[in-house]
Amino acid sequence: MLVKITRGLGGRKGLTLLVLTAVAGVVLVIGGITLRKRMLAPKGVSVAQVPPEKVGELGDKARGPSEQVPYKTGELARVTANAPVRHADQNWQELALNSVLKVSGLTVSEGESWVTGVVEGDRRFEPVTVHGSFLEPYRPVLLGDWVELADVKFTKVRSGPLPGTAVSGWLRNASSRSISYCMVTCVFQDSQEREVDTRRTPAFELPRWELVRFQTARSEKAFASVAIQIMCGTPEGLRDYLPTVVIQKSSGP
């Protein structure tokens, strides 16, 4: 009697079957993950993952990166990403990052907030409507009646042997004049308001109605507060110093 011994999945047929089984398993896993994402995704909401120049084409299907906030009439909001905005004629156009919107109305429909307002600096004064997820509150301090300071933060920087702290924030020229030279000086102070260190930003331009981000070099010194001094050059070549703003360390992150 002849006895034939085989090795289960040995040979070419067995190897082919094993590969097909593995591929089928991977396909099933990917399909299951995709199906789960579709089932858990909020209905009627789509997040725009496209280049900035294409986001305006999405119109009312586009959503931004921020949380939706219930704005009130007269408040200011900063655009956190290139956003599609709807005009009164129902046409959609793109609104640039860091534009500032003065809110005139808010509409909430099925959990979606739509903010209406006028873009500051826009000479047409035409109201536009944008999805609330493209906006975040903008609450500036007006210095000298012509420069706004907003969102000042203490940032931990851990490059080098010792950790340090840098100061950052937003500036905006809210005047009719042009500012081609601006510099921010941050004086780090102890609890007795004595200077322990000073850091300055490089000089930069401050165009009208445009938000400009600034950040100083880091300081490794211990401090209790920071005095922010802003100097701007006038068209006549003179220096104009704005009122000093003092921020306690406890008020920073």
Side-chain angles (χ1 to χ4, degrees):
M1 181 177 67
L2 296 176
V3 178
K4 184 178 181 180
I5 300 176
T6 61
R7 296 184 178 179
L9 295 177
R12 292 184 178 179
K13 292 184 178 181
L15 182 59
T16 301
L17 180 61
L18 183 61
V19 171
L20 292 176
T21 302
V23 171
V26 172
V27 171
L28 288 174
V29 171
I30 295 176
I33 294 175
T34 303
L35 180 61
R36 182 176 182 272
K37 287 184 177 181
R38 290 182 178 179
M39 293 177 65
L40 295 179
K43 294 183 178 180
V45 177
S46 58
V47 179
Q49 299 290 345
V50 295
E53 62 272 12
K54 295 294 184 180
V55 71
E57 300 177 3
L58 295 175
D60 59 357
K61 295 182 180 179
R63 300 294 182 269
S66 305
E67 295 183 1
Q68 300 183 65
V69 177
Y71 295 93
K72 297 179 181 179
T73 300
E75 291 184 333
L76 298 177
R78 181 179 74 88
V79 178
T80 59
N82 292 63
V85 296
R86 187 176 67 237
H87 290 263
D89 59 5
Q90 303 304 312
N91 288 326
W92 290 87
Q93 290 184 350
E94 183 181 340
L95 187 61
L97 168 69
N98 292 331
S99 299
V100 175
L101 191 75
K102 187 170 184 179
V103 177
S104 60
L106 174 69
T107 302
V108 179
S109 175
E110 297 182 355
E112 302 290 309
S113 65
W114 294 90
V115 180
T116 300
V118 175
V119 180
E120 293 211 326
D122 187 354
R123 296 180 179 179
R124 296 171 296 178
F125 297 102
E126 294 181 359
V128 297
T129 301
V130 59
H131 192 266
S133 61
F134 283 102
L135 303 173
E136 71 175 17
Y138 174 66
R139 301 184 179 97
V141 175
L142 186 62
L143 305 177
D145 295 329
W146 50 285
V147 172
E148 296 174 348
L149 173 67
D151 197 26
V152 177
K153 294 180 179 179
F154 299 143
T155 304
K156 290 294 184 182
V157 182
R158 299 188 177 276
S159 61
L162 295 175
T165 302
V167 181
S168 64
W170 292 101
L171 286 177
R172 189 172 74 142
N173 177 7
S175 72
S176 59
R177 71 174 89 178
S178 60
I179 302 176
S180 58
Y181 185 92
C182 184
M183 180 180 292
V184 180
T185 300
C186 292
V187 180
F188 294 81
Q189 304 175 143
D190 62 15
S191 58
Q192 303 300 317
E193 296 187 352
R194 294 173 299 195
E195 179 181 345
V196 297
D197 205 353
T198 299
R199 291 289 184 267
R200 295 179 176 85
T201 66
F204 54 90
E205 184 180 1
L206 204 58
R208 291 189 60 207
W209 300 109
E210 290 186 19
L211 276 169
V212 176
R213 188 78 171 171
F214 72 86
Q215 179 168 318
T216 66
R218 69 192 186 107
S219 173
E220 296 83 11
K221 302 293 183 64
F223 67 97
S225 64
V226 171
I228 301 177
Q229 303 169 351
I230 302 171
M231 184 272 290
C232 296
T234 65
E236 296 78 17
L238 302 177
R239 293 184 176 183
D240 199 343
Y241 292 88
L242 301 178
T244 300
V245 177
V246 178
I247 299 180
Q248 301 297 322
K249 184 179 181 181
S250 59
S251 64

